Amino acid sequence: MSEEKIYSAETPKIAAPENWKPVIMGFLCNWCSYAGSDLTGTSRIQYPPNIRIIRVPCSSRIDPSFIIKALQTTADGVLISGCHPGDCHYVTGNYYARRRFLVTKEMLKFAGLHENRIQYSWVSAAEGAKFAEVVEKVTDDIYKLGPLQRFKKEELK
Amino acid sequence: MDYTKEIQEIAARLFVEGKIDVFVGYEMTTYSKMLLPCVITKAEDVNRLMFNERSEYNVANMLVTEHTRNKRVGVVAKGCDSRAINMMLTEKQLKRENLYIVGICCDGIKSDGDLQQRCTECSIPDAVVYDELLGNPHKKREYKPSDEIIRMADKTIEERGDFFNEIFTNCIRCNACRNACPMCYCSSCVIDRDTSTYFNAANTPSNAGMALLTWSLHLAGRCVDCRNCERACPQNLPLRYLHKKNEQVIYDNFEQHLAGEKPDDRGALYKYSLNDPDDFIM
């Protein structure tokens, strides 16, 4: 499938307003990815300002409902990031999280969400440059997909 | 498949021997074609008990009601019921020494003469945990992808989204599915806390979607495919789509895990392997 076709698979019902900027909710684990994002800042590496970061104690703290709630309220995409396998501060947390991520992603894909809306990455505390790359990639993907139409909270009448 | 006589005999014997306080089985009622779960408290009532191919309900969630909790209970269990009991034993909701399980080698449940669809796909028809087994054990069956998964496989994202949007729009959020589920025993559930702003109680498609998706993901790796939720739904929503997808993903990726198949197995999301797929993670 061509790239154009992949991104047109989820056709927006309403065209994106001018100057629309995506909001990406980032759930970062306290011990690796949050420190990694800190390093990105202190190393003065530029990355898109569309990400809103929420710090969680471990990637396995993330309940599937966090992701759905983020998409329902403001986010157009979700980025979840934790320690590399084997590096978890709580030894096995990210192994459990990895299983949960796969099931959550497949379920939301099944329910009609584009797979690029929910992205996962392993970023360690030393990978400041990788964090900037990841955020750039995710932002780029969400720009191509446009604003999220499904799962959005209804406007009050 | 008619074990009415055997079950009545077993129940009477257990009451006389004083091994149980109550017996949970099925009875015939005037308001349903199917046999409904019932709780028998004394030996004189055992004639009410019946079991045939119309015993479709899962009786496992009858084991944590006020009539049965902390009592010695005899229970009839088909394949799917026994898997649910197995899960509840593992999750410390029941005590094995309080249970006397009459296992059934189930030939499938019929509604209007036809085998139900879930029973044609069933891979564990025999009771996995029992004190006494009725019927002849079946040969080992292969796990098949369910009809729902096959039907959804060719659809585009857009079509799948519209399909689920219709489910969420029609949902009236009565939470009957959650109440009927044997694995949903929590006394206070996240999706209907009165004071909750996180799970908004307003009956809108997005809120219903959030509740149903979260519910199904909390049941991932624990759902035993008894279909109590679909039967309880007043809107006849095809809730099985949600659970079957999780089951399929878990079966394909996590060592062919099926909920409640083995004793002391808490479900696929409560354990891990170093070789789990992670090609979707950057």
Side-chain angles (χ1 to χ4, degrees):
Chain A
M1 242 198 309
S2 70
E3 194 174 87
E4 200 181 318
K5 213 172 174 187
I6 292 170
Y7 285 105
S8 64
E10 195 191 54
T11 41
K13 284 181 191 127
I14 313 155
E18 260 180 70
N19 303 325
W20 168 77
K21 288 195 176 80
V23 177
I24 295 154
M25 208 65 92
F27 293 97
L28 306 187
C29 116
N30 181 27
W31 303 99
C32 291
S33 300
Y34 195 82
S37 73
D38 202 27
L39 184 67
T40 320
T42 47
S43 324
R44 310 204 171 244
I45 303 170
Q46 288 282 327
Y47 64 90
N50 307 64
I51 188 162
R52 314 283 191 274
I53 292 173
I54 295 174
R55 184 169 63 160
V56 289
C58 176
S59 43
S60 63
R61 170 67 183 88
I62 299 160
D63 188 273
S65 69
F66 292 4
I67 301 167
I68 307 170
K69 184 72 179 176
L71 294 170
Q72 191 200 14
T73 46
T74 48
D76 300 298
V78 174
L79 169 68
I80 289 167
S81 192
C83 308
H84 284 274
D87 288 352
C88 182
H89 184 77
Y90 307 101
V91 187
T92 54
N94 55 3
Y95 289 121
Y96 291 100
R98 184 164 65 176
R99 286 199 161 190
R100 221 173 296 150
F101 292 164
L102 179 65
V103 177
T104 312
K105 192 179 171 105
E106 291 293 325
M107 185 72 237
L108 291 176
K109 257 165 78 180
F110 189 65
L113 208 72
H114 196 280
E115 58 182 317
N116 284 352
R117 297 262 187 212
I118 318 146
Q119 305 216 26
Y120 302 103
S121 67
W122 302 135
V123 172
S124 81
E127 293 177 325
K130 187 188 174 184
F131 181 76
E133 262 171 50
V134 165
V135 177
E136 260 164 41
K137 186 192 173 291
V138 175
T139 317
D140 203 35
D141 285 340
I142 306 294
Y143 261 117
K144 283 178 190 161
L145 283 168
L148 177 66
Q149 313 279 343
R150 289 201 188 284
F151 296 113
K152 272 282 170 252
K153 203 171 185 172
E154 292 77 8
E155 302 256 324
L156 284 175
K157 282 173 192 157
Chain B
M1 184 172 76
D2 192 330
Y3 299 116
T4 304
K5 224 177 135 198
E6 288 91 334
I7 286 169
Q8 284 179 359
E9 276 169 17
I10 291 167
R13 194 191 74 220
L14 291 173
F15 274 118
V16 170
E17 288 174 7
K19 278 189 179 167
I20 55 170
D21 302 319
V22 289
F23 193 89
V24 178
Y26 299 88
E27 69 174 339
M28 187 70 159
T29 57
T30 51
Y31 46 86
S32 174
K33 272 193 280 183
M34 293 302 184
L35 302 184
L36 298 182
C38 69
V39 178
I40 303 285
T41 49
K42 48 185 186 292
E44 295 88 75
D45 287 346
V46 293
N47 293 334
R48 274 163 62 193
L49 288 169
M50 278 183 83
F51 188 92
N52 56 29
E53 68 278 353
R54 288 177 294 142
S55 317
E56 63 169 359
Y57 287 83
N58 188 340
V59 289
N61 56 351
M62 301 288 285
L63 299 177
V64 288
T65 60
E66 57 185 295
H67 308 292
T68 47
R69 195 180 291 133
N70 300 327
K71 286 180 184 168
R72 291 169 303 157
V73 188
V75 60
V76 183
K78 307 187 291 292
C80 42
D81 306 359
S82 72
R83 282 168 69 196
I85 292 171
N86 220 347
M87 285 303 289
M88 290 163 89
L89 287 170
T90 314
E91 294 174 359
K92 308 275 191 293
Q93 296 301 310
L94 300 171
K95 282 184 183 147
R96 184 67 185 89
E97 61 267 24
N98 282 354
L99 290 180
Y100 190 95
I101 304 168
V102 183
I104 306 274
C105 295
C106 172
D107 296 331
I109 302 301
K110 288 176 186 167
S111 45
D112 300 327
D114 299 328
L115 207 58
Q116 286 188 352
Q117 197 218 326
R118 68 169 174 130
C119 296
T120 61
E121 292 160 0
C122 175
S123 54
I124 309 172
D126 304 340
V128 287
V129 51
Y130 53 81
D131 295 295
E132 203 165 323
L133 195 64
L134 298 177
N136 301 317
H138 295 78
K139 277 184 200 155
K140 198 168 164 33
R141 294 190 200 167
E142 288 292 308
Y143 180 83
K144 300 189 257 195
S146 84
D147 197 34
E148 279 93 348
I149 302 292
I150 296 164
R151 232 180 288 153
M152 289 297 258
D154 333 322
K155 293 194 178 172
T156 62
I157 294 182
E158 199 60 16
E159 282 168 338
R160 288 200 304 260
D162 288 342
F163 177 82
F164 277 97
N165 197 36
E166 203 181 320
I167 294 182
F168 301 151
T169 314
N170 287 329
C171 176
I172 58 171
R173 297 204 62 192
C174 59
N175 291 330
C177 47
R178 196 273 321 273
N179 292 344
C181 178
M183 300 328 302
C184 286
Y185 44 71
C186 300
S187 52
S188 108
C189 174
V190 282
I191 68 172
D192 68 342
R193 297 268 291 278
D194 285 350
T195 53
S196 169
T197 52
Y198 184 58
F199 283 86
N200 200 319
N203 185 15
T204 61
S206 76
N207 288 335
M210 187 177 171
L212 284 179
L213 286 172
T214 309
W215 173 64
S216 87
L217 286 165
H218 283 183
L219 286 172
R222 299 165 64 231
C223 171
V224 296
D225 194 22
C226 65
R227 259 185 57 175
N228 263 9
C229 49
E230 277 195 356
R231 247 171 257 131
C233 184
Q235 298 285 83
N236 292 323
L237 301 176
L239 298 168
R240 192 163 177 251
Y241 280 91
L242 295 164
H243 300 308
K244 267 295 171 184
K245 180 64 186 173
N246 287 334
E247 192 182 292
Q248 185 71 41
V249 171
I250 286 169
Y251 187 83
D252 291 345
N253 292 300
F254 306 143
E255 297 146 4
Q256 309 195 331
H257 179 275
L258 286 174
E261 193 186 8
K262 298 179 191 113
D264 292 329
D265 178 13
R266 281 200 70 196
L269 300 187
Y270 292 89
K271 53 186 177 183
Y272 65 91
S273 146
L274 297 181
N275 306 318
D276 285 335
D278 63 354
D279 46 346
F280 63 100
I281 302 175
M282 280 187 279

